[in-house]
Amino acid sequence: MASTARLLALATALPQLGDGLAEVLPTNRASGPYRIDLTATRPWGQPQTWTDTSPHAPPVHPHH
């Protein structure tokens, strides 16, 4: 469980880890903790890229 405030504090404390983190954090969350699953990759000499890998509900397909 994480909160946006704690993740931003982590990004500030460890800039190498937090590079680009604020851009992928959800903006529609309450201030309390929530589940989030993020992956970060950084090719040599390139900017870090964050990906949200949280499980998402499958799309609903109406039956015809």
Side-chain angles (χ1 to χ4, degrees):
M1 300 295 281
S3 69
T4 300
R6 292 191 72 172
L7 289 169
L8 290 174
L10 176 66
T12 301
L14 300 168
Q16 300 87 348
L17 175 67
D19 184 25
L21 179 60
E23 288 81 19
V24 298
L25 293 177
T27 57
N28 61 346
R29 298 287 182 166
S31 61
Y34 55 91
R35 294 187 185 276
I36 188 165
D37 189 5
L38 298 171
T39 302
T41 57
R42 181 189 302 263
W44 190 265
Q46 300 296 315
Q48 184 160 279
T49 303
W50 286 91
T51 305
D52 181 0
T53 55
S54 301
H56 299 283
V60 177
H61 298 289
H63 296 271
H64 297 285

